[in-house]
Structure formats: structure tokens, C-alpha cells
Amino acid sequence: MTTSVPPVNGQVIGLAHYASRAALERILARSGTTFEESVALRAVSDNGGTVEAARVVGRLTAGLKIEESAARRTVEELTARGLLEEPAPGQVSLTDGGRELFTSIRAAGDAIAARVYAGISAEDLAAAGRVLALVTERAEAELAGA
């Protein structure tokens, strides 16, 4: 019996995203961390551990399509929790606690991804990556034109 493959469309892509995100959010819930907070921690980590707060806000608004005020609140909440600190005006840095939390989140996310993507060929993953990058680019263009 052959399993039918659904055509790729926004619903199929969305279902894959939400299933993966739900698996990660179970991990995040254990530490009381929201998905948005995990993205903000990643933005700081990806920039060497210290970055302009505006850059983190920009990554949240652009990547998650949230309002700037919500993005700023996310940074403020991480600071209030002691996971980020402000070493200089307009900058945020990971604290030791923030670095430790993000390291554990990244490890858990990597383990989930390893299980989810296990057995999918590198060629298929590369093709999917190219298609999704193109879909994202076109959707961003639609948003910019709206």
C-alpha cells in the first residue's frame, strides 16, 4: 500500500511547523520559557552573547511577525528573570543563567530535530530547504506589498 503525499501548501508547511514547535514548547514549559523568549535568547547567543537590544527586537518582529511592543516586552521579561542583563545602554547580554538555559534549550531542540529528521536523505532536506526559503521570500514580498 502506498501512502499518498499531500501537495505542498501553506497548510502542510504550517502543520509541520506547529508539530515541531509543540514538541519544543513542551521542553520550554519545564523552564517557564516561552517560544518568543527562546528566540530572543538565541538571537543574543548567535551574536556572541552581547548585542544591541534593538537587534533582538528586530529579529523577533521580523522572524515571528510580532508587534515591536511584544518583542520589547519579551526582552524586558528575560531581563527581569535575570537571564539577560544590560551591560551598557541599549545592549543586552546573556547572564550565566541565561547562557545555561539557552544551552539546555538548544541541546533539547537539537535532540528533537535529530529524531524528527532521522532517515530523511540529505538531498531531500536540501530540496525542502530551497523550496521553503523561496516560499518564505515570496511570502515576505507579499507582506511588504500589502
Side-chain angles (χ1 to χ4, degrees):
M1 180 174 170
T2 304
T3 304
S4 68
V5 177
V8 174
N9 58 33
Q11 181 180 12
V12 170
I13 293 168
L15 289 173
H17 163 75
Y18 288 124
S20 298
R21 181 171 166 173
L24 178 60
E25 286 197 16
R26 282 195 321 204
I27 303 299
L28 295 173
R30 295 179 192 153
S31 64
T33 305
T34 67
F35 181 74
E36 292 80 4
E37 289 172 336
S38 74
V39 173
L41 291 172
R42 177 177 292 276
V44 179
S45 179
D46 287 352
N47 284 282
T50 300
V51 68
E52 292 178 6
R55 193 166 180 178
V56 177
V57 169
R59 184 151 164 190
L60 291 169
T61 57
L64 300 180
K65 309 299 182 242
I66 62 174
E67 296 292 324
E68 185 176 330
S69 60
R72 288 189 187 288
R73 238 184 346 270
T74 298
V75 173
E76 291 166 3
E77 290 164 0
L78 288 168
T79 303
R81 289 180 57 195
L83 300 170
L84 293 178
E85 61 188 358
E86 189 176 342
Q91 289 190 329
V92 290
S93 292
L94 290 171
T95 63
D96 289 342
R99 188 172 285 103
E100 182 180 313
L101 175 61
F102 180 68
T103 298
S104 70
I105 290 169
R106 178 175 273 180
D110 288 349
I112 291 167
R115 290 188 298 273
V116 169
Y117 295 113
I120 302 173
S121 73
E123 295 81 18
D124 284 349
L125 290 172
R130 287 189 303 274
V131 169
L132 292 174
L134 182 58
V135 168
T136 300
E137 181 181 308
R138 289 177 178 178
E140 295 287 353
E142 284 290 320
L143 286 171

